[in-house]
Amino acid sequence: MIRHPFHDVAIVGVHNTAQAKVLADHDSRSIALEAAHGAIGDAGLTPMDIDGVVGNLGNDFLYQHRIGPVWRSLSALGIPAVLEGAMAIACGLATTVLITTGEAGSYREHTATAPWTRPTNEFVAPYGMFTAAEFALMARRHMHLYGTTPESMAHVAAVIRNNGHANPQAVFSGRGPFTAADVLASRMIADPFHLLDCAMTSEGGAAIVLTNMERASDCAKAPVRILGGGTDHFGPAYQHPPVWEMGGRKRPDLIAGTVGRRAAENAFAMAGLGPSDVDVCEFYDPFSFEIIRQFEAFGFCGTGEGGDFVLSGVIEPGGRFPVTTDGGTMSFSHGGAAVQLFQRVIRGVQQLRGECLSMQVPDAHVALCTGGGSGALFTDVLLLGSELP
Amino acid sequence: MTMLRPQDRAGVSPVPTMFSAPYWEGCAERELRYQVCIACGAANHTPAAVCAACDGADLQWRRSDGRGVIHSWTVVMRPVGPDFDAPYAPVIVAMSEGWFLLSAMIGCEHTELSVGVEVTVEFHPIADGRLVPYVRPVR
């Protein structure tokens, strides 16, 4: 059996607060605090059990509850924060780590696109660039190179939005069902992305509690094991032209277009697993094309085959690789700059615990959770398991 | 049909850095500049202190011929903010000297964009009068 220090760490608590287009009675601090209390309660712990926090809002929690001194990291965005918490536990810097985040009140005036999508950099801002345009430039290149179609992207969006349609907790619960034709008929945002190919904006909080395996046995629910993880980054997002072929200096196939490949290879190697061992694909879905790209980058299918792959019946509920089962950023919630990047991890945990009701993947034992995307020049992965392989 | 045109109300003005000042000084003179590595000859953009191909530290500014082909493109129908008018068309241009420029297409219909279209650079002012490079199809 392969052993890795991550294998001594488990996720024992997760919580999504209510998610909504507007959380009228909250600001970011209050919703992150609520998320923290939810995740700690989910684990059957109390604030006094926490001896490590990650993120600015975890830092706020730490002060409010006067549980210091504790270990702290300011890592904020998603899977890297989870991995950092796991590393701290595996290395003995902390025993039980809280990661909490939330966002409310920062984007309610919609004359411009969301603040986290609008770069001020000198080489992109004069051209009206924002996140959708950055990712569209990557998707267009893939269409040119491999013949990928808007229809395949629209199918991805319809599947994920239908997952959210069936999820009572989703911001867009009951708003479907959708067909690919509905997606293609929605108004164009940044060609090839229609409105329904894109993430929504919303508000919410999310929190995760990690601890070591010894402590995990005393927690309220079955521990979800960290089997492996990795992060792939090519540099600052939204400053440099998002060129599909950029990179390859260390290995020709490791380019911006395949970002996440190396991270996934590393994560699978830590676990002694491969793509065929994955039961649930909780892939980050800022834009429909990114799902197609990730299946290629992670080795679920060959380069250029992602469009046909997602059309082959594998990503729907009941398919071999069900994707983004709560509706993702398209339908469940976006939650602002940071929250979105934790929600795939939370859903992966819920799937491995069997908590997903009508959207439960039967016999789910391995979940691959991701964050980031090609247009932002990074992709992070986290491989979770109900037990060690 | 809507002819793509410069975004002369764009209010986000570039703030040059130590690395990029020569680039924007060139633009002010309607001259597109890029860097070349003296050691290996690789072209570079965006402006940097070291060569992205060989780590060489000796980069020299050159004048581009302003010619290239569309490498990728999009057409934005939902403007980033109220100071932009849709449609507009951000593009990545593969420049003749072997570097990539992020710019925007003008002088054609938004339905005419395609990978491989030959383009040439021209300069137009944004809201504060600063000149920025756009590209237009070579007819």
Side-chain angles (χ1 to χ4, degrees):
Chain A
M1 178 194 284
I2 291 177
R3 290 295 300 174
H4 186 278
F6 282 153
H7 299 173
D8 294 323
V9 182
I11 296 177
V12 292
V14 293
H15 187 67
N16 281 315
T17 68
Q19 313 277 317
K21 292 296 285 182
V22 172
L23 290 169
D25 299 327
H26 278 287
D27 64 12
S28 296
R29 279 179 77 201
S30 72
I31 199 67
L33 191 68
E34 184 179 311
H37 293 153
I40 291 168
D42 185 55
L45 300 173
T46 76
M48 288 291 280
D49 294 309
I50 303 298
D51 66 354
V53 296
V54 179
N56 276 325
L57 291 163
N59 208 20
D60 180 62
F61 174 94
L62 152 65
Y63 185 82
Q64 289 203 46
H65 281 279
R66 295 297 195 282
I67 54 167
V70 306
W71 174 84
R72 186 207 72 178
S73 152
L74 289 181
S75 183
L77 292 177
I79 286 167
V82 178
L83 293 177
E84 197 167 357
M87 286 189 275
I89 293 167
C91 295
L93 295 172
T95 301
T96 305
V97 171
L98 167 71
I99 304 165
T100 189
T101 189
E103 198 153 309
S106 65
Y107 180 51
R108 290 177 181 173
E109 165 56 59
H110 287 207
T111 56
T113 63
W116 54 83
T117 70
R118 279 183 268 131
T120 57
N121 178 267
E122 57 187 321
F123 293 105
V124 298
Y127 302 111
M129 292 295 288
F130 61 112
T131 305
E134 297 273 357
F135 280 75
L137 289 170
M138 284 293 193
R140 175 70 53 194
R141 190 66 189 165
H142 195 270
M143 295 167 73
H144 173 73
L145 290 170
Y146 305 114
T148 307
T149 61
E151 287 74 16
S152 61
M153 300 181 207
H155 177 69
V156 169
V159 167
I160 293 176
R161 287 178 178 279
N162 287 340
N163 291 346
H165 165 72
N167 176 5
Q169 272 77 49
V171 172
F172 289 160
S173 179
R175 291 277 284 268
F178 295 92
T179 65
D182 295 327
V183 177
L184 293 169
S186 63
R187 67 188 168 92
M188 191 65 84
I189 300 297
D191 197 336
F193 298 143
H194 303 78
L195 179 69
L196 297 182
D197 286 302
C198 303
M200 69 163 98
T201 58
S202 61
E203 301 181 345
I208 296 168
V209 176
L210 302 156
T211 193
N212 61 33
M213 280 309 296
E214 184 185 341
R215 192 72 205 272
S217 58
D218 297 329
C219 289
K221 294 184 178 170
V224 168
R225 313 296 292 263
I226 295 181
L227 304 184
T231 79
D232 270 8
H233 291 241
F234 275 100
Y238 316 142
Q239 298 184 16
H240 312 291
V243 176
W244 179 270
E245 294 85 350
M246 191 272 291
R249 203 178 159 201
K250 289 183 175 169
R251 218 176 81 185
D253 66 322
L254 299 181
I255 56 176
T258 62
V259 65
R261 172 168 296 177
R262 187 199 66 125
E265 287 172 353
N266 289 346
F268 283 130
M270 290 172 190
L273 298 177
S276 64
D277 297 304
V278 174
D279 300 310
V280 188
C281 294
E282 289 297 339
F283 290 177
Y284 179 64
D285 62 331
F287 302 96
S288 53
F289 168 71
E290 276 300 309
I291 301 297
I292 293 171
R293 193 196 69 78
Q294 289 177 74
F295 277 118
E296 294 181 13
F298 303 150
F300 287 78
C301 63
T303 300
E305 297 173 357
D308 290 338
F309 186 78
V310 299
L311 290 172
S312 68
V314 293
I315 66 170
E316 292 87 342
R320 177 63 187 82
F321 297 111
V323 74
T324 314
T325 62
D326 58 4
T329 63
M330 294 190 192
S331 180
F332 170 63
S333 183
H334 184 286
V339 176
Q340 51 166 340
L341 289 166
F342 290 102
Q343 286 170 339
R344 290 311 90 224
V345 177
I346 291 176
R347 188 58 167 184
V349 170
Q350 292 169 340
Q351 282 288 357
L352 298 183
R353 286 174 169 178
E355 296 178 340
C356 297
L357 305 176
S358 72
M359 299 307 294
Q360 179 63 44
V361 175
D363 294 321
H365 295 289
V366 177
L368 182 61
C369 310
T370 69
S374 60
L377 303 184
F378 79 95
T379 295
D380 305 321
V381 307
L382 182 69
L383 193 63
L384 300 177
S386 54
E387 61 271 324
L388 290 182
Chain B
M1 302 293 275
T2 311
M3 182 70 80
L4 297 168
R5 49 179 297 280
Q7 297 285 319
D8 54 11
R9 296 189 302 112
V12 183
S13 189
V15 178
T17 65
M18 194 174 76
F19 292 158
S20 68
Y23 175 86
W24 291 113
E25 288 162 14
C27 289
E29 298 168 18
R30 298 180 189 274
E31 176 180 312
L32 186 66
R33 295 176 182 170
Y34 67 105
Q35 294 171 300
V36 169
C37 174
I38 298 305
C40 77
N44 181 72
H45 178 81
T46 53
V50 294
C51 175
C54 78
D55 306 320
D58 194 2
L59 302 184
Q60 199 175 69
W61 285 96
R62 297 269 171 86
R63 176 176 188 158
S64 168
D65 68 5
R67 304 292 289 259
V69 298
I70 298 299
H71 186 78
S72 193
W73 59 272
T74 181
V75 175
V76 173
M77 304 302 275
R78 191 278 194 248
V80 64
D83 55 341
F84 279 82
D85 298 307
Y88 60 91
V91 294
I92 295 172
V93 183
M95 301 301 295
S96 68
E97 299 94 355
W99 56 286
F100 290 103
L101 173 71
L102 180 77
S103 183
M105 187 77 120
I106 58 171
C108 67
E109 304 291 338
H110 74 271
T111 52
E112 293 182 65
L113 283 145
S114 174
V115 172
V117 169
E118 291 184 52
V119 295
T120 185
V121 165
E122 60 185 49
F123 294 86
H124 294 277
I126 56 174
D128 70 351
R130 183 188 293 271
L131 294 171
V132 304
Y134 289 83
V135 295
R136 170 188 296 277
V138 176
R139 300 289 187 184

